[in-house]
């Protein structure tokens, strides 16, 4: 019985790790090391409670919620002590094949200038394609707070990037 649970978790972790990592990279503004730490922490927390989680309707959505909460907790810790830098580290793992790398880097830099909660709400709403209610549940806030934060975060991105997609890559 115990081996079956372990195998079930291994199968789940293997199938979801890549998706969790991509989401974590966006949350961490391209910091691949932090993204790896967040995924490891998420999967570790899930493993501890796997027997209960395996019975949930959608363990993948639960994992995304754990990931976002781990990220927000990390950002609240003052002991994290890392300082932002002028350039992102090599983000080859984040870039998708066939995408515009200049646009991708511009967007990652703009996301990196947002507050952690603004970044989290945009990643959940537009990268994860979650509803307002699902995002509110993941962030442990009200639906109204998600709608307000989304509107303000998008306005901040527009201020940074301009209104036209062509302006995104002009510096």
């Amino acid at each position: 019985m115990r081996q079956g649970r372990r195998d079930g978790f291994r199968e789940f972790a293997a199938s979801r790790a890549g998706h969790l990592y991509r989401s974590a990279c966006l949350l961490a503004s391209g910091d691949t090391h932090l993204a790896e730490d967040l995924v490891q922490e998420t999967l570790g927390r899930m493993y501890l409670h796997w027997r209960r989680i395996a019975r949930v309707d959608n363990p993948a959505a639960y994992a995304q919620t754990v990931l976002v909460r781990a990220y927000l907790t990390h950002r609240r810790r003052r002991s994290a002590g890392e300082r932002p830098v002028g350039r992102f580290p090599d983000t080859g793992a984040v870039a998708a094949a066939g995408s515009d790398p200049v646009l991708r880097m511009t967007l990652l830099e703009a996301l990196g200038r947002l507050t952690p909660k603004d970044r989290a709400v945009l990643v959940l709403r537009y990268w994860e394609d979650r509803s307002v209610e699902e995002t509110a549940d993941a962030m442990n806030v009200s639906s109204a707070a998600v709608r307000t934060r989304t509107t303000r975060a998008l306005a901040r991105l527009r201020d940074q990037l301009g209104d036209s997609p062509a302006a995104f890559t002009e510096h």
Side-chain angles (χ1 to χ4, degrees):
M1 181 85 148
R2 179 175 259 180
Q3 183 63 33
R5 274 191 302 228
R6 251 186 254 143
D7 290 342
F9 177 78
R10 283 185 186 135
E11 184 178 311
F12 172 80
S15 69
R16 296 302 302 166
H19 187 75
L20 288 169
Y21 179 72
R22 287 187 295 277
S23 294
C25 282
L26 287 172
L27 289 169
S29 299
D31 182 343
T32 57
H33 301 290
L34 175 57
E36 290 169 355
D37 290 346
L38 290 171
V39 171
Q40 183 176 1
E41 184 173 344
T42 297
L43 292 175
R45 289 180 184 179
M46 300 249 337
Y47 181 76
L48 290 175
H49 304 287
W50 182 247
R51 184 172 23 189
R52 214 172 359 120
I53 294 169
R55 290 182 255 153
V56 171
D57 286 339
N58 191 347
Y62 187 85
Q64 290 300 130
T65 298
V66 172
L67 175 70
V68 168
R69 289 184 180 169
Y71 165 72
L72 292 173
T73 299
H74 170 78
R75 296 303 301 171
R76 278 192 296 265
R77 285 187 203 133
R78 292 293 176 201
S79 63
E82 294 181 21
R83 302 285 185 254
V85 294
R87 292 187 67 230
F88 284 109
D90 178 27
T91 56
V94 179
S99 66
D100 181 355
V102 174
L103 178 59
R104 178 172 290 280
M105 290 304 297
T106 301
L107 290 173
L108 280 173
E109 288 172 5
L111 273 174
R113 288 189 293 267
L114 294 177
T115 66
K117 287 184 179 182
D118 285 350
R119 193 175 323 137
V121 79
L122 292 180
V123 168
L124 287 170
R125 291 284 291 129
Y126 299 106
W127 173 258
E128 294 294 326
D129 198 27
R130 290 196 183 193
S131 70
V132 170
E133 292 75 24
E134 291 170 331
T135 302
D137 184 50
M139 294 182 68
N140 205 21
V141 297
S142 70
S143 296
V146 167
R147 285 189 293 273
T148 301
R149 186 168 292 280
T150 300
T151 301
R152 290 179 181 165
L154 287 173
R156 287 183 186 105
L157 273 181
R158 283 188 195 100
D159 286 347
Q160 291 180 42
L161 300 173
D163 289 326
S164 141
F168 289 177
T169 56
E170 298 171 7
H171 290 289

